[in-house]
Amino acid sequence: MPLQGDLSEFSLTDIIQLVDLSKQTGGVHIVGKQRGKDVEGWIYFRNGQVISARFGRLPAEEALYTLFTLQSGSFVFEEKVDLPPRDITASNEALIME
């Protein structure tokens, strides 16, 4: 599933909902700026459900919420990634609502 773009045009909420709807497995690689510095992170999915996130050394849920704060940057969904163990157990809906 080719999914890529800019966070200023397609929000993280939209990305999560689309991956959930299509029940995809893989990762969304996000590259953006935070406080003037280049940053990058990942959100990992199994069958459309968020299972983990990486942003620096932050714990998975904190990493995910930090990625939600990025207002601009590029993203690309990649199917062929090594998935980390599941360390986010909340539903996608609960994660989005927080």
Side-chain angles (χ1 to χ4, degrees):
M1 173 181 81
L3 176 62
Q4 62 185 10
D6 193 283
L7 292 173
S8 65
E9 298 175 4
F10 205 75
S11 74
L12 202 50
T13 298
D14 294 333
I15 296 166
I16 290 171
Q17 290 174 332
L18 184 59
V19 173
D20 187 12
L21 183 64
S22 59
K23 303 295 183 220
Q24 293 294 309
T25 297
V28 174
H29 184 218
I30 300 167
V31 178
K33 286 199 180 285
Q34 186 180 52
R35 297 184 195 110
K37 293 184 181 182
D38 292 334
V39 295
E40 68 176 304
W42 285 87
I43 301 173
Y44 298 98
F45 297 84
R46 181 174 289 118
N47 298 322
Q49 179 64 45
V50 173
I51 62 164
S52 190
R54 298 289 181 258
F55 186 82
R57 296 178 183 256
L58 296 175
E61 281 199 32
E62 191 175 338
L64 179 64
Y65 296 135
T66 301
L67 289 168
F68 267 105
T69 67
L70 298 178
Q71 300 298 311
S72 65
S74 62
F75 67 88
V76 61
F77 180 83
E78 298 180 20
E79 291 181 341
K80 296 180 181 180
V81 297
D82 291 330
L83 297 178
R86 183 175 190 155
D87 47 15
I88 294 178
T89 57
S91 70
N92 290 353
E93 294 80 14
L95 295 169
I96 289 169
M97 293 201 49
E98 279 213 27

